Amino acid sequence: MNPSWGGSSPDPPTPTPTPIPILSSAAVLLLAATALTASAQSTDPLPNLPAVRAVATPVIDGRLDDQAWQTAPSMDGFTQREPMEGGTPSQPTRARVLFDDAGLYVAVWAYDDEPSRIIPGENRRDVDLEQSDAVSFVLDTFQDRQNGFVFGTTPAGIEFDGQVTREGQGATGAVSARQQTGSGAGFNKNWDGSWSVATSVDGEGWYAEFFIPFSTLRYQDGDVQTWGLNLSRRIRRGNEEVFWSPIPRQFNLFRVSMAGSLDGLEPPRQRNAFVTPYVRSSAERDFLASTDVDWEGALGGDAKFTLTPSLALDLTVNTDFAQVEVDDAQVNLTRFPLFFPEKRPFFLENAGTFAVGSAQSVELFFSRRIGLREGTEVPILGGGRVTGRALGLNIGVLNIQTRAQDVYDPSEGAQAPLAPNENYGAVRAFREMGNRTRLGGIFVSRLNTDALGSADEKDYNLTYGLDGRLGVGEYLTFDGFAAATETPGLSGDAYSYSLSADYDSSLWRWGAAFSEVGDAFNPEVGFLSRSDYRFASLSLLRRVRFDDVDWFRELRPHATYREFWNREGFTETRLLHIDNHFEFSNGAFFQLPAVNFTEEGLTEPFEISDGVIIPAGSYNNVEWGFRANTDRSAPLSVEGRINIGGFYSGTRYGTDATVSYRWQDRFVASGRVVYHDVNLEEGDFETTLLSLKGAYSFTPRIFLQGTVQYLEQTGNFTGNLRFGWLNTAGTGLYVVYNDIEHLKVRPSDEVPEGPLFRTLIIKFTRQFDLIR
C-alpha cells in the first residue's frame, strides 16, 4: 500500500526576501556575539593528569599486571553523574594512562564488591554501552573543547568507538542517535578506528586495557601537547554512571568542554600511509528481469595518507559496500520522504565535518545521495577526501565520480537509464572559537559529466551555505544557517534559513526555532523532507527528582508545539504535544497517555493507500499515545508504543512493539511488529511491518547476523545474512546473502509473486601499513 509522495502545495507567489541579506546578517550577529562567550564560561576547575612515557610496553591482555602501570599517576576521585549528580560512587574506579612513540595506553580498574552482578552485555562491536557495565573515554586531541574521539568497552571485551563533533549535538541542538540521524549529526558511532582492547574479570571486579595508536588519531603539530580527556564508568545494575571530570546529569561524555586534561603528551609527527584493498566475488540473479545467474569479481580499495599531523587524504577506487548492514524498514503514512542514515564506511570518517543544516529536515550535504538512486546502487568509480585542520580552520574537501547505471523497468520490459555519469563535490570550512561557538560555510555540487560542453542540456546542481553556533555559558546555545541553491530550469525562491535556541540545565530544558524553505530550494546532494514552507517550534521540559526514593529516577513533564505553514499562510502540519515521562532507577520507563492536538492541511488530494484518496482540506484531530519499556539490560526486555485517535477524516490505531532476548554475551535476538489500522471516510486499510533480527558472536570479532523483514506497503520480504571475521578497523572476511521475495497483496499489484532478487557475496579486505 504505497502512499503518495506528492501532495505538495501549489507554487506560491515569487517575491520573497533573497538569501544574500540573510547570510550577511547571520554572520554579523554571530561575530558580534562571540565576545559574550568568554565571560560566560564556567570557572570551575577541571582535573588534569600528567602524561607519563612508558618505561616498557604493556601487554594488552586485560590483566593489568605489567610493572609499567605502576609508574603512571592514578586517575581517582570519580563522581556520580547518575543517579546523584556529584555523589559518591557506589564502587571505586581507578584509571592510568601511559604513552610511547606508538600510541596511548589506558588502563581501568573497575572494582566491584558484587562481581556476580556485573552485566557484560553483547559480545559485538559498537553495541549500546548503556545496557551493560562499561568504561569509555573521550580524547580531545586538538583541545578545541568541541570535538573528539571516543573509545569504550564492556566486560565482554568489545570494541566501541566513534567521533564526536559539536559536543555531540546535531544541527538543531539534539544529541544524535545512530539509527535516526546517521553519522553527521554530532556523534558518528559508525566510524571504526584501528586499535585494540582486552578485559578480564575476577573476584574484585573487572579490568580493561586499551591501546590507541597515534596513527588512528588526528592531532596538531608540536613536540609537547595537552589533550582533553575524560573517562566514564557505567555500573548498570544501579543505572549508575561516574566520571573523572564531573559532568552535569543533563549532559554526557560528549560534553568535551567539561573534560579534564592530559598534560605533557609527546605524540610523534604523523607519517601514515595505509592501503586497504579488497577482493570480491559475487553471484546475483534478477528474477524480475528474467536473467540467469550473473557471476562477477571485483577489485578496489581505499587509501589514507597523512599530509600534515592534522590533515589527512583519503582515496577510494571502485568503491564497494557489500558488507554494509541493511536498512531497517519503515512504514510511511505521510506525504513526505523517509530518512535512512548513512552506513557506508568511506563516507563515515569525519562525516561531521560536512554536516550543515537541520538534521533529517534540511541537510545541505547528505552522502547517501552519492552512489545510490531510488534504492539501487550506482557504481562509484573513485574519489578523494581531505579533512582536518589548516590555517586555524577545520576543512573538508570531497570529490566523487560515479558511473552511469541502467535498471530494469518492469513497465517497459527492458533496461532503462537510472543515472548518468556524475561528479559530486563538497567544500567545507569553519572556525571554532571556544565555548561551542563556530562560524563556517559550505559549497556542494552535482554535475552530469555526460552533459559537459552542451549549451542545451545543462544538468547540474549547486548549494551554498553559511552556518554558525553561539554558546552562552554552559546551558544556552544558539544555532543558525542560511543556504541557497542553483538548478538550471528551476525558477522561484531557492533559499532556506533557520534560527534556533536551546537551553539545557539540570532542571529545565527549553527550545525555540524558526525556519523557512523556498519553493525552488533544491539541495540535490542533501536531504529535504519538504519544501516551500515556514516552520516554528517551542518546547519546554521540567526535570523532577526525588532523592529519597531509590527505585524512582526522574519525572519529566513537558510540552511541545510545532507548526508548518506554506508561504501563503496555510497550515500544512500542526502539533501540540503534552506529556509526562516516568523513568525508574533500573531504566524502565512509561508515559502517561500523551495527548496530541494535530492538524493536517492538504492543498490537493493525497492518495495515502491504494485507492484511498483524501480530499484537499484541513483535518483537526486529537490523538492519545502511550509508550513504555522494561529494563533493557535484562536478558528479556519489552518496549512499545500505542497511538489511538483521530487521523485525517477518520481514526487510526497504531502499535509498535519489540521483544528482545539476550543469552549471556553471545546471542541476541529481537522481534518487532508495527501495525496500523486506519479507518477513513474515503476507505479503510491496514499496514504491517514485521522484523526479526538475530546475532551470534563467537568472539568480539567473529559474528553471524541475520535480518528478515516484511513490509506490507511494498509486499516485499527481505532477508539478509552476514558472517564477519574481522581484523582491524572493520576489515576482514565477509560473507553476505540477500534475498528479496514479493507477496502479492493487492489485485492491482503489477509485480509477480515470488523471488525478485538474490545475491551471494564473498568479500575480503585487509589494511596494510606502508610505513611500519
Side-chain angles (χ1 to χ4, degrees):
M1 302 180 184
N2 294 319
S4 170
W5 293 68
S8 60
S9 302
D11 290 342
T14 301
T16 54
T18 63
I20 302 302
I22 297 169
L23 292 169
S24 302
S25 60
V28 170
L29 287 173
L30 286 165
L31 290 172
T34 300
L36 296 174
T37 62
S39 61
Q41 293 192 55
S42 172
T43 58
D44 294 337
L46 299 174
N48 68 293
L49 182 76
V52 174
R53 183 175 288 273
V55 296
T57 301
V59 178
I60 307 301
D61 57 12
R63 295 202 298 265
L64 306 184
D65 54 3
D66 297 270
Q67 190 64 29
W69 288 117
Q70 303 307 314
T71 65
S74 180
M75 299 169 62
D76 296 308
F78 284 76
T79 58
Q80 284 188 6
R81 169 185 169 268
E82 289 282 5
M84 180 68 68
E85 182 181 323
T88 302
S90 65
Q91 306 294 331
T93 305
R94 179 190 306 155
R96 289 176 173 168
V97 178
L98 294 168
F99 75 92
D100 59 17
D101 290 340
L104 206 64
Y105 302 86
V106 179
V108 182
W109 287 260
Y111 297 111
D112 199 312
D113 56 15
E114 296 183 86
S116 62
R117 299 184 65 190
I118 292 174
I119 299 175
E122 296 180 42
N123 190 6
R124 191 160 50 93
R125 182 170 185 140
D126 284 341
V127 297
D128 185 1
L129 297 186
E130 294 187 358
Q131 307 310 325
S132 65
D133 282 61
V135 294
S136 54
F137 57 93
V138 62
L139 295 173
D140 178 6
T141 56
F142 290 96
Q143 209 182 20
D144 58 24
R145 305 175 69 80
Q146 297 196 51
N147 310 293
F149 297 89
V150 170
F151 301 93
T153 194
T154 67
I158 70 161
E159 295 177 8
F160 177 96
D161 53 13
Q163 291 179 313
V164 177
T165 57
R166 299 183 302 276
E167 294 200 287
Q169 293 184 319
T172 55
V175 174
S176 65
R178 173 191 180 189
Q179 296 303 322
Q180 296 300 317
T181 58
S183 60
F187 181 59
N188 180 4
K189 180 179 173 181
N190 295 286
W191 174 78
D192 290 332
S194 179
W195 55 285
S196 58
V197 66
T199 60
S200 65
V201 183
D202 64 17
E204 296 184 357
W206 69 282
Y207 316 94
E209 196 167 20
F210 300 82
F211 171 59
I212 314 297
F214 285 123
S215 59
T216 297
L217 307 172
R218 297 290 168 264
Y219 47 85
Q220 59 194 345
D221 201 2
D223 296 332
V224 180
Q225 301 183 19
T226 295
W227 290 3
L229 171 66
N230 204 358
L231 189 145
S232 73
R233 176 190 176 188
R234 181 174 295 276
I235 306 166
R236 184 56 183 88
R237 64 179 178 271
N239 212 8
E240 177 182 352
E241 189 176 21
V242 300
F243 279 81
W244 176 59
S245 183
I247 297 289
R249 63 174 178 248
Q250 71 269 27
F251 302 130
N252 55 27
L253 185 66
F254 305 157
R255 194 71 170 185
V256 184
S257 61
M258 293 184 173
S261 61
L262 180 63
D263 303 328
L265 196 63
E266 301 175 13
R269 182 175 178 83
Q270 292 236 13
R271 293 177 58 250
N272 297 325
F274 295 102
V275 176
T276 310
Y278 76 83
V279 57
R280 188 195 72 179
S281 178
S282 64
E284 64 179 43
R285 185 175 181 184
D286 188 341
F287 290 85
L288 199 60
S290 301
T291 62
D292 294 329
V293 177
D294 182 16
W295 297 85
E296 68 171 17
L299 297 172
D302 302 335
K304 179 184 292 292
F305 302 97
T306 298
L307 303 179
T308 71
S310 58
L311 206 60
L313 168 66
D314 294 276
L315 300 174
T316 183
V317 176
N318 199 21
T319 317
D320 179 79
F321 306 113
Q323 78 278 16
V324 175
E325 61 181 318
V326 297
D327 290 315
D328 291 334
Q330 301 180 46
V331 175
N332 190 4
L333 294 179
T334 75
R335 54 202 189 273
F336 308 109
L338 296 173
F339 181 91
F340 292 91
E342 177 65 90
K343 298 181 180 181
R344 298 171 297 174
F346 179 81
F347 293 107
L348 293 175
E349 184 167 359
N350 294 323
T353 298
F354 298 94
V356 180
S358 301
Q360 298 188 58
S361 178
V362 184
E363 299 194 18
L364 303 190
F365 177 78
F366 183 45
S367 59
R368 255 186 97 103
R369 298 297 186 217
I370 304 174
L372 288 172
R373 184 70 59 85
E374 298 177 11
T376 299
E377 183 176 343
V378 176
I380 295 178
L381 296 177
R385 176 185 60 223
V386 175
T387 52
R389 302 197 178 203
L391 304 175
L393 298 173
N394 292 61
I395 65 171
V397 180
L398 173 75
N399 190 269
I400 298 290
Q401 180 68 40
T402 63
R403 190 180 68 206
Q405 176 72 9
D406 295 337
V407 67
Y408 181 78
D409 185 350
S411 63
E412 299 291 334
Q415 296 291 114
L418 176 68
N421 293 300
E422 292 182 305
N423 182 270
Y424 296 84
V427 179
R428 168 74 163 145
F430 57 92
R431 176 73 178 269
E432 293 175 321
M433 295 172 278
N435 197 33
R436 310 186 307 283
T437 298
R438 61 195 290 162
L439 180 66
I442 190 170
F443 170 75
V444 185
S445 66
R446 180 200 60 81
L447 176 65
N448 180 347
T449 54
D450 290 337
L452 288 176
S454 172
D456 300 326
E457 298 183 9
K458 293 181 179 180
D459 184 9
Y460 64 86
N461 177 260
L462 306 178
T463 300
Y464 313 86
L466 176 71
D467 70 303
R469 165 169 290 188
L470 173 65
V472 179
E474 297 291 355
Y475 306 143
L476 181 59
T477 303
F478 295 93
D479 271 299
F481 79 88
T485 62
E486 180 181 340
T487 310
L490 186 62
S491 61
D493 295 317
Y495 71 87
S496 174
Y497 67 89
S498 176
L499 297 171
S500 66
D502 184 83
Y503 178 86
D504 195 3
S505 72
S506 60
L507 296 179
W508 293 95
R509 177 165 187 171
W510 61 260
F514 181 83
S515 59
E516 181 173 347
V517 174
D519 61 318
F521 184 70
N522 180 37
E524 292 185 1
V525 197
F527 180 82
L528 191 63
S529 61
R530 59 171 85 190
S531 63
D532 187 22
Y533 69 87
R534 293 186 177 100
F535 166 77
S537 70
L538 294 170
S539 63
L540 180 65
L541 179 145
R542 177 71 160 90
R543 299 180 175 100
V544 182
R545 295 277 177 129
F546 304 92
D547 296 337
D548 55 345
V549 182
D550 294 338
W551 52 270
F552 188 76
R553 179 61 52 89
E554 189 172 81
L555 181 69
R556 294 190 294 272
H558 60 275
T560 302
Y561 158 78
R562 295 198 304 267
E563 186 161 2
F564 292 86
W565 304 268
N566 66 20
R567 293 188 304 152
E568 295 177 344
F570 178 73
T571 296
E572 294 184 331
T573 301
R574 178 189 294 146
L575 169 69
L576 176 60
H577 171 80
I578 302 174
D579 196 0
N580 203 344
H581 290 175
F582 296 79
E583 182 178 351
F584 297 88
S585 295
N586 65 355
F589 163 90
F590 79 91
Q591 64 179 172
L592 287 177
V595 58
N596 296 323
F597 299 93
T598 66
E599 180 177 348
E600 289 291 333
L602 302 178
T603 58
E604 60 185 43
F606 165 44
E607 186 174 13
I608 191 171
S609 185
D610 190 32
V612 180
I613 301 174
I614 303 174
S618 295
Y619 300 87
N620 291 275
N621 287 292
V622 179
E623 181 184 56
W624 299 91
F626 177 79
R627 183 162 59 97
N629 64 262
T630 62
D631 179 2
R632 292 192 180 102
S633 70
L636 182 65
S637 64
V638 179
E639 59 184 300
R641 67 173 64 225
I642 297 173
N643 291 91
I644 302 174
F647 186 69
Y648 285 105
S649 62
T651 60
R652 175 183 63 171
Y653 166 79
T655 182
D656 183 343
T658 302
V659 179
S660 301
Y661 173 74
R662 174 179 52 82
W663 177 70
Q664 297 180 354
D665 62 351
R666 299 287 180 177
F667 176 72
V668 61
S670 66
R672 182 185 179 208
V673 177
V674 181
Y675 173 77
H676 293 276
D677 183 2
V678 181
N679 298 278
L680 304 176
E681 293 179 0
E682 298 77 25
D684 303 336
F685 65 94
E686 299 176 356
T687 67
T688 303
L689 167 62
L690 303 175
S691 174
L692 180 63
K693 296 183 177 182
Y696 185 88
S697 299
F698 302 91
T699 74
R701 291 190 174 185
I702 305 176
F703 66 87
L704 181 65
Q705 180 179 351
T707 301
V708 177
Q709 300 180 99
Y710 169 68
L711 181 60
E712 188 180 19
Q713 282 185 305
T714 62
N716 289 346
F717 278 99
T718 60
N720 172 259
L721 188 64
R722 301 167 67 233
F723 171 78
W725 190 327
L726 305 185
N727 197 319
T728 185
T731 63
L733 174 67
Y734 290 91
V735 180
V736 182
Y737 175 73
N738 294 300
D739 187 9
I740 302 176
E741 307 273 341
H742 185 70
L743 178 64
K744 197 167 184 177
V745 295
R746 297 178 298 273
S748 60
D749 195 344
E750 297 180 356
V751 179
E753 190 168 279
L756 299 182
F757 198 78
R758 290 174 181 166
T759 61
L760 175 64
I761 301 166
I762 301 175
K763 179 179 178 180
F764 180 76
T765 180
R766 181 71 181 270
Q767 186 179 86
F768 295 94
D769 189 337
L770 301 184
I771 295 179
R772 297 175 181 83

